[in-house]
Amino acid sequence: MKLLVLLAVVAGLWWLQRLAQVGRLARQLRQMREAPPRPAPQPMLRCLVCGTQTPASEALQDARGAYCCAAHQAKAAQDALSRPGERKE
Ligand SMILES: [Zn+2]
């Protein structure tokens, strides 16, 4: 009889643990569904002056290429003017 009671207690504890586990999984699933969608990845452009990778939405672009900042765009324009023998696009 004692063995039956012990088995019932063990089975009850196991059942309670399973219930808690299922509740935790359901809560995680609900949080995943409610989470805002991730923004789509955007292409990265390489600065022609320093080589820094910049998101396309933040990069400054002209006919020669992309730049990480206005200073590098101005530097590239100045370099192009000071070297007139080079090919321009
Ligand atoms: Zn740069």
Side-chain angles (χ1 to χ4, degrees):
M1 187 65 189
K2 283 181 182 176
L3 187 63
L4 270 177
V5 171
L6 183 66
L7 278 175
V9 168
V10 168
L13 287 174
W14 176 82
W15 183 72
L16 284 175
Q17 185 193 6
R18 292 285 299 169
L19 272 184
Q21 200 173 19
V22 167
R24 222 176 7 251
L25 287 174
R27 198 168 38 247
Q28 283 177 354
L29 192 62
R30 203 174 330 118
Q31 285 172 351
M32 284 171 60
R33 284 183 184 153
E34 292 170 356
R38 290 184 183 175
Q42 50 178 303
M44 302 292 279
L45 299 176
R46 186 181 180 91
C47 176
L48 285 181
V49 175
C50 67
T52 300
Q53 298 283 338
T54 308
S57 63
E58 297 174 23
L60 302 171
Q61 296 181 61
D62 64 14
R64 288 181 298 269
Y67 308 94
C68 64
C69 59
H72 283 176
Q73 188 176 23
K75 182 179 183 337
Q78 199 172 15
D79 288 351
L81 287 176
S82 65
R83 285 179 278 160
E86 290 188 9
R87 187 179 69 104
K88 292 180 189 172
E89 293 178 29

